[in-house]
Amino acid sequence: LNKNKIIAPEFIDESDNTTNSYGLWVKGGEVTINGEGEISAQDAEYSMAIWANGGTVIINNGTFTNGGDTCDLIYASNGGKVYIYGGEFIPKGPSSGEVPGTKNPYPALNIKDRDRDKCEIKVYGGRFYKFNPADNLSEGESTNFVAEGYKSTQDGDWGVVSKIN
């Protein structure tokens, strides 16, 4: 990232007339994110900082944000894989739990429902604002995205993932 900020454009999906914003959309192949910087999706109906749509994303550092009514900050579908080793993950917008009664109040990490057996999200490190990757509701109660040998601890509003000593 080299201290840069990537801001996703907003666009209209003509197939369903929704507004969308994807910071990084990986459709096949592999992308590794290193260094300080930010990837941010704009306020849209579907707003994702990272979408692993059949590809693999390795996150070693950076800050990731989004906003909108239906937000999955980091999302995997169609066999996509996401491996998180560090970084800060800050979901924004109504579905971050700030507004009661929203569709998905825990949107930091999510796998498309129909692809749960084909996709993978594993967390080895990082800080997650108002989200516990070891016990969340995005895939059902007690869903654990934390890799074996690692743990998630609460530090104020942050879920922090680290190696078990």
Side-chain angles (χ1 to χ4, degrees):
L1 291 174
N2 199 24
K3 298 185 180 180
N4 289 300
K5 183 173 185 175
I6 298 169
I7 302 172
E10 182 180 302
F11 65 94
I12 302 292
D13 182 340
E14 294 180 8
S15 69
D16 61 6
N17 205 33
T18 58
T19 59
N20 300 274
S21 181
Y22 311 133
L24 179 63
W25 183 17
V26 180
K27 189 168 183 163
E30 180 176 297
V31 173
T32 300
I33 299 169
N34 292 313
E36 293 179 29
E38 183 175 338
I39 297 178
S40 182
Q42 294 185 44
D43 188 355
E45 289 177 81
Y46 294 95
S47 173
M48 296 172 241
I50 302 291
W51 181 5
N53 185 10
T56 299
V57 179
I58 299 166
I59 300 172
N60 292 315
N61 203 356
T63 300
F64 303 85
T65 64
N66 68 345
D69 293 333
T70 306
C71 308
D72 296 311
L73 184 61
I74 308 297
Y75 189 68
S77 67
N78 297 317
K81 295 177 179 15
V82 179
Y83 303 105
I84 300 172
Y85 295 91
E88 286 196 343
F89 302 86
I90 307 166
K92 297 179 180 175
S95 58
S96 65
E98 295 172 11
V99 177
T102 57
K103 178 182 174 189
N104 182 4
Y106 302 99
L109 305 174
N110 195 12
I111 294 173
K112 187 170 186 78
D113 291 345
R114 73 168 189 232
D115 296 338
R116 286 183 183 165
D117 60 335
K118 298 186 272 183
C119 296
E120 181 174 56
I121 297 177
K122 289 286 183 196
V123 181
Y124 299 86
R127 294 170 40 88
F128 298 81
Y129 183 70
K130 292 187 177 180
F131 182 82
N132 179 358
D135 183 15
N136 65 81
L137 299 176
S138 64
E139 301 300 318
E141 196 168 341
S142 301
T143 300
N144 185 1
F145 288 117
V146 175
E148 189 173 323
Y150 291 78
K151 64 181 178 180
S152 178
T153 55
Q154 202 64 30
D155 181 15
D157 282 338
W158 293 86
V160 180
V161 177
S162 60
K163 190 170 183 135
I164 296 172
N165 293 329

